[in-house]
Amino acid sequence: MGKYKGVNGSGSCSDCGAGTYLNVTGGSVCVGCPTNTDSLVAGDAITDCICNVGFEGSDGLACSACALGTYKE
């Protein structure tokens, strides 16, 4: 998981790029993280998508902007 192969034939699988994940084996397309989240390369679960700086919420879900007067690093 966290790897895909987008073409037929011989060759190896590639890591899903940052901001995507793949939680099944044998996948051909990585899935984009929810709104205002990002993941490292080779994410293998939606919970690898964490809120960006300035946004808050639960891992794997869309994140919302921090309230006025607050921040998140």
Side-chain angles (χ1 to χ4, degrees):
M1 293 189 294
K3 294 180 177 280
Y4 73 101
K5 185 167 181 266
V7 296
N8 291 330
S10 62
S12 59
C13 296
S14 300
D15 288 337
C16 290
T20 65
Y21 69 97
L22 187 60
N23 59 354
V24 297
T25 57
S28 60
V29 178
C30 299
V31 179
C33 285
T35 304
N36 300 318
T37 67
D38 203 4
S39 68
L40 298 176
V41 172
D44 63 3
I46 194 169
T47 52
D48 289 338
C49 300
I50 59 173
C51 294
N52 293 331
V53 171
F55 293 84
E56 62 183 350
S58 299
D59 293 347
L61 300 175
C63 296
S64 302
C66 293
L68 189 62
T70 65
Y71 72 98
K72 177 182 171 272
E73 295 180 348

